[in-house]
Amino acid sequence: METTLRGVGVSHGVAIGEVRHMGTAVLEPPAKQIPAEEAEREQGRARQAVEAVAADLIARGNLAGGEAQHVLEAQAMMAQDPELIADVERRIAVGSTAERGVYDAFAAYRALLANAGEYLAGRVADLDDVRNRIVARLLGVPMPGVPDSDQPYVLIARDLAPADTALLDPTLVLGFVTEEGGPTSHSAILARALGVPAVVALPGAGEIAEGTVVAVDGSTGEIFVEPSQEKRAQMESASAARKAALTAVTGPGATSDGHKVPLLANVGGPGDVPAAVEAGAEGVGLFRTEFLFLDDSKQAPSEEKQIAAYRAVLEAFPEGRVVVRVLDAGADKPLDFLTPADEPNPALGVRGLRSLLDHPDVLRTQLTALARAAEGLPVYLEVMAPMVADRADAKAFADACREAGLQAKFGAMVEIPSAALRARSILQEVEFLSLGTNDLAQYTFAADRQVGAVSRLQDPWQPALLDLVALSADAARAEGKSCGVCGEAASDPLLACVLTGLGVTSLSMGAASIPYVRATLAKHTLAQCERAASAARAADSAEEARLAAQAVLSGE
């Protein structure tokens, strides 16, 4: 009998197939004491397992490329953390086996993160995955990962680690569903990059029996268990129509009455550029430069290394717009040379621009590298600061840009409610705003963006969040300046229309979402988008806002 479940849709498309569950490693090895003379051998086993897992993660990253590569390389660094390895060896020296020493050392580190308020929940999930891989290798059991199957299937898991998501084969994995995670988790972002339909934050998904046929709608978040033939035909027809619409609309982003809305790509480095170009991106709306810095958390990359990476992206968009976010370190992206190690609540501490202003040499080197990378190129370079709280922050960043001789527009990200509330003041110092809706939702609702339990509050359709977007767009319009969105909200085609109606002047997203947004915008006039935006803001919940906007845009 057909039943319907609802999670959070995070990657467009429809998948219909049999369920396969994610394999897991034995999580807790037996606790037994070893003789002192075996300690050195066990320590060697632990080191070998750590290095093997790190090498495997790096190899997976090389195969995956793009943003996934940076995420997996960061995981490999986590596996090789000197303090963790030292703790493992200390535990072995007092009688633990290699696998038990690894398990207990990782558990202790995990507890430290949890006591920090779980603001590093995304890193906790990655930490668990690294631990499971090392323990599995030591125990000689299968690694956690996607199941072996010759036939296409829908994957169900408690959560998906980046190492699993990055190498999903779209020809076999039709789509995936997770019990945990949120719309801005690593898995969600990578799913969009792969173009695999995905639904997250669906409690009880693990109880769906192996082999059960399900239909997954990655746009609405709906899961139909044992769908009827009628439902299957309906979803397949809608999916085919959607794909046809994607190929029918080409060129720059615009509403049906010609209002231009540039569609830009979010990239993590040169590896993400080919997909953005293929999708028809009109430029880059968010170049996340922190991945370059995460290659080595002990020191900043040299100016020459930075120039090479920046120039590779800038060269791909001649006459296009490339918006670079300077280093956004802290919270779930700590860097040993930059961020404090003992903050009780890192997401509310010294992160983003605050870290850079405390380390002006790091900021100066990055800005100088950007200036040199853009020399002689016909590109419209714009540089923005993350975590701007007020006009003083904006002025400090603009002054640093000018001192570095940067010939570019300077902008501020709106990720903190205070920046939205005082946007007009901030625009006295900078030339554009860019809304990071992921963090803006996190700080508006006190809801960690990596914690599935509060995913309701991370929903970018929340009317309070739309109010803050409107405030920012209105301020930019009043000052004659631009206000884009580079958060994951821009990847939702229906919400993209609402954002356009709120006065947002450009939309930036993962490359796979650009065709969906382009096709949806092309079906509606600017006036329709404005009416949909008003209807959404008048609602009292995210779901009501979505339905109200949908009713307006469908002509109901």
Side-chain angles (χ1 to χ4, degrees):
M1 180 179 176
E2 179 181 310
T3 57
T4 304
L5 305 173
R6 183 183 288 276
V8 179
V10 295
S11 185
H12 305 298
V14 169
I16 302 174
E18 292 187 358
V19 164
R20 296 287 182 273
H21 287 273
M22 173 72 73
T24 57
V26 175
L27 295 182
E28 184 169 2
K32 62 178 182 180
Q33 290 293 107
I34 60 169
E37 58 269 20
E38 293 184 14
E40 187 173 343
R41 178 179 66 83
E42 289 294 288
Q43 288 172 339
R45 285 182 64 226
R47 285 192 294 271
Q48 288 175 0
V50 165
E51 291 305 317
V53 166
D56 177 62
L57 290 168
I58 290 172
R60 285 169 177 260
N62 290 335
L63 285 172
E67 187 168 314
Q69 181 174 3
H70 300 297
V71 173
L72 292 172
E73 287 174 350
Q75 250 195 316
M77 288 171 52
M78 186 183 292
Q80 297 171 304
D81 185 285
E83 291 186 16
L84 264 175
I85 293 173
D87 191 20
V88 169
E89 294 188 343
R90 280 194 296 270
R91 293 172 187 275
I92 294 173
V94 294
S96 288
T97 61
E99 47 266 36
R100 188 71 204 190
V102 168
Y103 182 86
D104 290 340
F106 273 71
Y109 187 45
R110 193 185 198 284
L112 286 176
L113 297 185
N115 289 336
E118 294 204 24
Y119 272 87
L120 302 183
R123 288 181 63 83
V124 166
D126 295 353
L127 187 74
D128 288 346
D129 180 61
V130 171
R131 177 202 64 199
N132 289 350
R133 291 174 184 277
I134 297 172
V135 170
R137 183 172 289 275
L138 288 166
L139 291 175
V141 301
M143 286 283 178
V146 297
D148 291 327
S149 176
D150 296 329
Q151 298 300 316
Y153 59 91
V154 173
L155 180 64
I156 290 184
R158 182 184 62 81
D159 200 358
L160 282 171
D164 300 314
T165 317
L167 294 185
L168 289 178
D169 182 351
T171 64
L172 284 177
V173 181
L174 302 171
F176 67 74
V177 181
T178 65
E179 295 190 67
E180 299 183 359
T184 59
S185 64
H186 280 154
S187 293
I189 292 170
L190 293 177
R192 285 187 284 270
L194 289 166
V196 177
V199 172
V200 301
L202 180 65
E207 298 173 12
I208 301 175
E210 187 92 359
T212 302
V213 174
V214 297
V216 179
D217 190 326
S219 298
T220 65
E222 291 175 307
I223 309 295
F224 302 94
V225 181
E226 299 288 8
S228 64
Q229 288 299 323
E230 181 181 0
K231 174 60 72 175
R232 289 198 203 190
Q234 177 188 339
M235 293 184 70
E236 287 170 348
S237 174
S239 180
R242 195 178 297 163
K243 288 178 180 177
L246 297 184
T247 58
V249 181
T250 58
T255 59
S256 63
D257 55 342
H259 175 73
K260 293 182 179 180
V261 187
L263 303 181
L264 312 172
N266 294 343
V267 305
D272 292 334
V273 167
V277 173
E278 184 179 351
E282 298 168 58
V284 172
L286 173 61
F287 182 177
R288 300 180 176 102
T289 61
E290 62 268 17
F291 290 115
L292 181 63
F293 288 75
L294 289 169
D295 285 345
D296 183 357
S297 69
K298 303 298 181 186
Q299 60 183 3
S302 68
E303 184 175 321
E304 294 305 319
K305 183 177 180 179
Q306 291 188 54
I307 291 170
Y310 303 150
R311 194 169 181 89
V313 175
L314 295 174
E315 286 177 337
F317 295 96
E319 306 296 336
R321 176 187 179 199
V322 175
V323 184
V324 179
R325 178 176 69 190
V326 294
L327 177 60
D328 183 17
D332 63 340
K333 293 167 289 190
L335 293 171
D336 293 346
F337 67 90
L338 197 67
T339 50
D342 56 351
E343 286 188 308
N345 198 336
L348 299 181
V350 182
R351 63 166 294 197
L353 179 62
R354 299 167 186 175
S355 293
L356 292 174
L357 294 179
D358 282 350
H359 297 81
D361 53 324
V362 175
L363 177 58
R364 187 182 309 111
T365 299
Q366 184 172 24
L367 294 174
T368 302
L370 283 166
R372 290 181 58 193
E375 286 177 358
L377 295 181
V379 66
Y380 297 95
L381 175 63
E382 301 184 11
V383 183
M384 62 185 181
M387 299 297 291
V388 171
D390 56 17
R391 182 173 178 173
D393 279 350
K395 183 179 187 305
F397 177 66
D399 287 346
C401 289
R402 283 187 282 266
E403 288 169 11
L406 193 60
Q407 300 298 309
K409 284 187 175 181
F410 318 141
M413 291 198 70
V414 178
E415 301 166 284
I416 303 172
S418 64
L421 294 168
R422 301 289 293 171
R424 197 158 182 180
S425 171
I426 287 171
L427 283 166
Q428 305 310 304
E429 305 293 342
V430 295
E431 297 172 83
F432 69 94
L433 300 176
S434 184
L435 287 141
T437 53
N438 306 353
D439 271 324
L440 185 57
Q442 171 173 256
Y443 293 123
T444 299
F445 297 102
D448 192 319
R449 55 187 284 192
Q450 301 288 356
V451 177
V454 291
S455 61
R456 176 182 73 82
L457 297 172
Q458 298 156 359
D459 192 325
W461 281 95
Q462 286 284 357
L465 187 66
L466 299 181
D467 287 344
L468 293 176
V469 173
L471 279 173
S472 303
D474 287 346
R477 186 187 299 111
E479 293 297 325
K481 297 179 178 180
S482 63
C483 176
V485 169
C486 64
E488 294 301 315
S491 65
D492 179 335
L494 186 63
L495 185 51
C497 293
V498 168
L499 295 172
T500 299
L502 291 173
V504 166
T505 55
S506 66
L507 299 166
S508 189
M509 65 209 76
S513 297
I514 291 175
Y516 290 92
V517 173
R518 180 190 291 119
T520 304
L521 275 174
K523 292 192 296 186
H524 305 290
T525 65
L526 176 59
Q528 286 176 309
C529 292
E530 289 173 340
R531 287 197 297 273
S534 295
R537 288 184 67 190
D540 290 321
S541 71
E543 183 60 21
E544 289 177 9
R546 184 183 291 107
L547 291 174
Q550 194 168 33
V552 171
L553 294 175
S554 63
E556 295 177 6

